[in-house]
Amino acid sequence: MTGTLLSLSGLTKAYPGVVANDDISFDIREGEVHALLGENGAGKSTLVKMIYGLVKPDSGTMTLRGAPYAPAEPRAARASGVAMVFQHFSLFDALSVAENIALGMEDPPKPRDLARQIREVSETYGLPLDPYRTVGTLSAGERQRVEIIRCLLQNPKLLIMDEPTSVLTPQEVEILFTTLRKLAAEGTAILYISHKLEEIRTLCDHATILRLGQKVATCTPAETTARELAEMMVGASLKAPEAHGRTPGDVVLEIRDLSLPAPGDFGTALRRISMALRAGEILGIGGVAGNGQDELLAALSGERRSAPDAILFKGQPLGHLGPGARRRLGLLAAPEERLGHAAAPDMSLTENAALTAMGRKGLVRNGLVGWGRAEDFAREVIAAFDVRTPGADTAARALSGGNLQKFVIGREVMQAPEVLVVNQPTWGVDAAAAAAIRQALIDLAAKGCAVIAISQDLDELMEIADRFAALNEGRLTASKPMAGLTLDQIGMMMGGAHDMEAAHVET
Amino acid sequence: MDLTSINPVLLIASLMVSATPILLAAMGEMVVEKSGVLNLGVEGMMITGAITGFAIAVNTGSPALGFIAAAAGAAMLALAFGILTQFLLSNQVATGLGLTLVGLGLSSLIGKPYEGIKSPTLPRLDLGPLSDIPVLGRMLFSHDIMVYFSLALVAAVWAVLKFTRAGLVLRAVGESHDAAHALGYKVVRVRLLAILFGGACAGLGGAYLSLVRVPQWTEGMTAGAGWIALAIVVFASWRAGRVLVGAYLFGGITVLQLNLQAAGAQVPVALLSASPYLITILVLVIISVRGVHGAPASLGRPFHASH
């Protein structure tokens, strides 16, 4: 158990304008769970892509069990016993579980044998899965099982997991950890990428921390506090959002029995959603991805219309109104997908600002867009939210994820909404930008705006929300005060228990 | 109008012949689209195949060589499309439309000296006793080899896509090129091969027009068959069996309207001639109202391996 499995020495990879990895060296031992820790953009993904043969290092060497290791492509990496579970699942929605798994194998057995093997492995490791289901119909947790089983069928010596828990319920995380510990006990090394410190402290034997492409330290997480880890990761102390202490006002938004059919083959139907939202409070809506988050946002923003009485804004029915009319009334929304939904990728920040702010900021007069005023507004957003960009005429696509997210949220906040709905406000955003966005939402609520924050990041919701509700298969639970909720209760609300039950019944 | 003048046996026999070019082209295009590439240049590749096949068959006296040359010629044109869209990342729709224009122009240039010549044509395949069966023999077993080749192609494409690893990889590439790339499959290579196959099939379809169905060269003789083939792929929701149904349905309407004209139907001739196209549009509208099912998720999206 103590032999060195994979040794990295001086790995360097540069892209135009940025050194993604700079002289990185560390060892992974057999049978250990080794964490790779760092902020977004610290170079974690590039490093594992080099190990998996997707990217070639500019310089540096790797040795696997003493032999030189330089995979030219993922196929070679898999042949050497290195397998990877991707952050954004590399699955094919329209194909079955068995077909997806066959695609990831060098030499797949006959379909019937493969189906049997899938059942065997999935039972051994407590990951129930039906080989003949179409992947598009699976939940996020089940999709991850497909990836893990695909890897396990090849008896890997090293299993790379890229942020595996970001889409799982707490209960599903427990199952995953049990599986990983079992694997490690059998001698498989696991390289575990995450930025969730508590997870790493409970699961991992060693941790290597990256910052700005450089290795900061390798340490034993169980002997290091989360705070120390965080500071090594970020390099400076973080500003935690200020405490709430808000007093909610009158009900501004009410949803009554809102039901909408699923928008497409792989969408989720909304089922009899009811809730009331008061001025000055933040309602956090949790849930595993794909349980109706996008659909709920679309129903609130006006992208999808419903019966007029299903959504009441200050007592006025607006379920039948489109996004423009709702914006003018004061109900604003920022969807999850930054590029292509919240912002038009090839249009400038000024144009993107004008697209949602036209009505509320009076940017259109006599049918003509006042581009001067639009640019002033874009500049205000850029200044107020510290958006790092050469200027307001830069294309949205050119901004990094965090900066664009600050702009997209800032654009709505600066329009002084009465109700703001955000979906995944800090998804894929580095810690500093995430803190700024959360603070902006808290400040907005303090000014009397009602905020609905839909997020899969429970830590985030615990930090900012006054009340918590969860979406599960298109149903919204009754909301409870955030203070006093335990992780277990939240997990139950998110339908984790229900999901596990279903998974067992399937086999 | 005298409907008794329409002989159902001859109707079906000529339906099979008239559907074969579209069937070949549509089968090829379906494979291309299954790999996630939208090649709108089917018409151009068909007519290039038609003239290449015609010219080689006339000069060598061998229709078989003509068909081989047609497949090769149209595949060359498809290769140009492949290089432009897969390596130089040009827009697939615009490049496909350009390919059609190039094919039409090129074919009329090459075809000038061949106008008014009759080409050697394919003999009927001697199927022995099968051809002697009353009614059925005349209807199904008295055709040339390309008709049976096209039917075998449908079965082969269906089986390859459904049962083989190559078919699975092709579908995977068309479904999500990023995921396929992450697993280490050569997205561009798979797509290029599919594009070449699609070109060769379209070329065979074109040559069938100029060597068997007509058989002579007229400028622009494909007359929209390539576009119909494209529509049939959508009509068939990207399934081989349904492509066959779609192609024969269209072939049937084409032949039927000719027969109705001959029988003196009291409908304007222009409307009858347009009926196959009108019905195609109608079917496509019905399909899209129901929601497009089965389109490869990466269809028409450019792939670049840099990220």
Side-chain angles (χ1 to χ4, degrees), chain A residues 107-131:
Chain A
D107 195 15
K110 289 202 185 89
R112 192 175 304 163
D113 297 340
L114 181 62
R116 191 176 44 75
Q117 286 182 20
I118 292 170
R119 286 188 201 282
E120 275 174 18
V121 172
S122 70
E123 274 162 36
T124 313
Y125 291 97
L127 304 166
L129 204 57
D130 175 2

Side-chain angles (χ1 to χ4, degrees), chain A residues 221-238:
Chain A
E223 296 164 5
T224 316
T225 64
R227 190 181 177 81
E228 284 167 340
L229 288 174
E231 281 175 3
M232 282 193 270
M233 231 167 94
V234 182
S237 54
L238 285 174

Side-chain angles (χ1 to χ4, degrees), chain A residues 356-492:
Chain A
T356 77
M358 242 180 257
R360 283 187 81 73
K361 300 302 273 188
L363 301 180
V364 180
R365 279 183 203 157
N366 306 322
L368 298 175
V369 179
W371 285 114
R373 290 192 298 280
E375 195 175 337
D376 290 345
F377 176 60
R379 288 226 183 92
E380 277 173 46
V381 175
I382 290 168
F385 281 80
D386 186 26
V387 180
R388 313 274 166 83
T389 167
D393 53 354
T394 307
R397 186 190 291 285
L399 266 63
S400 75
N403 277 312
L404 184 57
Q405 188 69 20
K406 284 196 278 188
F407 182 79
V408 166
I409 300 280
R411 175 181 68 177
E412 309 303 333
V413 169
M414 301 278 288
Q415 291 177 47
E418 296 197 50
V419 176
L420 177 64
V421 188
V422 292
N423 188 8
Q424 296 276 60
T426 61
W427 187 79
V429 161
D430 64 76
I437 289 170
R438 286 173 195 151
Q439 190 59 53
L441 293 176
I442 291 171
D443 292 347
L444 189 64
K447 283 184 207 149
C449 170
V451 178
I452 298 180
I454 305 173
S455 176
Q456 283 149 45
D457 185 344
L458 286 180
D459 296 336
E460 168 170 291
L461 293 181
M462 288 181 163
E463 199 173 294
I464 65 171
D466 303 299
R467 286 191 297 138
F468 178 83
L471 271 170
N472 178 27
E473 291 180 359
R475 293 185 188 84
L476 187 70
T477 64
S479 64
K480 293 184 179 169
M482 192 84 236
L485 274 183
T486 66
L487 206 56
D488 257 358
Q489 285 170 314
I490 290 176
M492 296 299 233

Side-chain angles (χ1 to χ4, degrees), chain B residues 28-38 86 92 161 167 169-177 187-195 238 296-301 303:
Chain B
E29 178 65 13
M30 191 196 85
V31 170
V32 176
E33 292 189 15
K34 270 285 185 193
S35 80
V37 177
L38 184 64
Q86 301 305 305
Q92 292 182 8
L161 284 179
V169 172
L170 181 92
R171 283 189 286 145
V173 165
E175 207 50 57
S176 166
H177 47 222
V187 173
V188 170
R189 187 191 295 169
V190 169
R191 288 192 167 163
L192 212 52
L193 288 173
I195 290 169
W238 294 268
S298 289
L299 184 58
R301 279 170 43 207
F303 171 71

Side-chain angles (χ1 to χ4, degrees), chain A residues 36-212:
Chain A
L36 193 56
L37 196 58
E39 285 193 281
N40 290 301
K44 296 173 305 215
S45 292
T46 306
L47 185 65
V48 294
K49 278 182 183 168
M50 288 194 279
I51 299 175
Y52 194 56
L54 279 167
V55 170
K56 272 197 194 91
D58 295 336
S59 65
T61 54
M62 294 183 270
T63 46
L64 187 71
R65 288 194 167 157
Y69 171 69
E73 52 175 9
R75 200 176 297 241
R78 287 200 294 268
S80 312
V82 175
M84 178 158 172
V85 176
F86 290 89
Q87 179 182 16
H88 304 294
F89 307 122
S90 59
L91 294 178
F92 306 93
D93 279 354
L95 306 183
S96 75
V97 169
E99 284 176 326
N100 266 286
I101 289 176
L103 278 166
M105 297 174 78
E106 288 318 309
D107 195 15
K110 289 202 185 89
R112 192 175 304 163
D113 297 340
L114 181 62
R116 191 176 44 75
Q117 286 182 20
I118 292 170
R119 286 188 201 282
E120 275 174 18
V121 172
S122 70
E123 274 162 36
T124 313
Y125 291 97
L127 304 166
L129 204 57
D130 175 2
Y132 297 111
R133 284 261 307 266
T134 303
V135 165
T137 65
L138 299 180
S139 75
E142 288 170 317
R143 287 161 159 257
Q144 189 180 53
R145 286 179 204 160
V146 179
E147 292 244 20
I148 295 174
I149 287 170
R150 174 155 79 188
C151 293
L152 294 186
L153 279 173
Q154 304 174 69
N155 297 317
K157 290 177 227 146
L158 174 65
L159 182 63
I160 305 171
M161 305 206 72
D162 194 356
E163 307 229 351
T165 59
S166 51
V167 293
L168 303 184
T169 61
Q171 280 81 357
E172 283 177 320
V173 171
E174 269 312 305
I175 294 180
L176 176 71
F177 281 10
T178 313
T179 306
L180 293 182
R181 288 200 188 97
K182 189 172 158 86
L183 275 170
E186 288 169 7
T188 309
I190 294 160
L191 184 59
Y192 188 93
I193 302 167
S194 180
H195 55 237
K196 295 192 182 167
L197 304 172
E198 283 309 322
E199 271 177 12
I200 284 172
R201 294 190 60 227
T202 49
L203 181 73
C204 300
D205 303 313
H206 292 97
T208 294
I209 297 154
L210 299 184
R211 187 196 326 148
L212 301 172

Side-chain angles (χ1 to χ4, degrees), chain B residues 156-223:
Chain B
V157 167
W158 171 78
V160 166
L161 284 179
K162 188 164 169 69
F163 296 117
T164 69
R165 183 164 177 81
L168 181 59
V169 172
L170 181 92
R171 283 189 286 145
V173 165
E175 207 50 57
S176 166
H177 47 222
D178 293 325
H181 175 70
L183 289 172
Y185 293 105
K186 308 278 186 218
V187 173
V188 170
R189 187 191 295 169
V190 169
R191 288 192 167 163
L192 212 52
L193 288 173
I195 290 169
L196 286 176
F197 176 81
C201 286
L204 289 177
Y208 192 80
L209 277 175
S210 64
L211 292 177
V212 181
R213 192 144 178 245
V214 179
Q216 57 175 353
W217 168 252
T218 343
E219 204 179 306
M221 69 182 300
T222 47

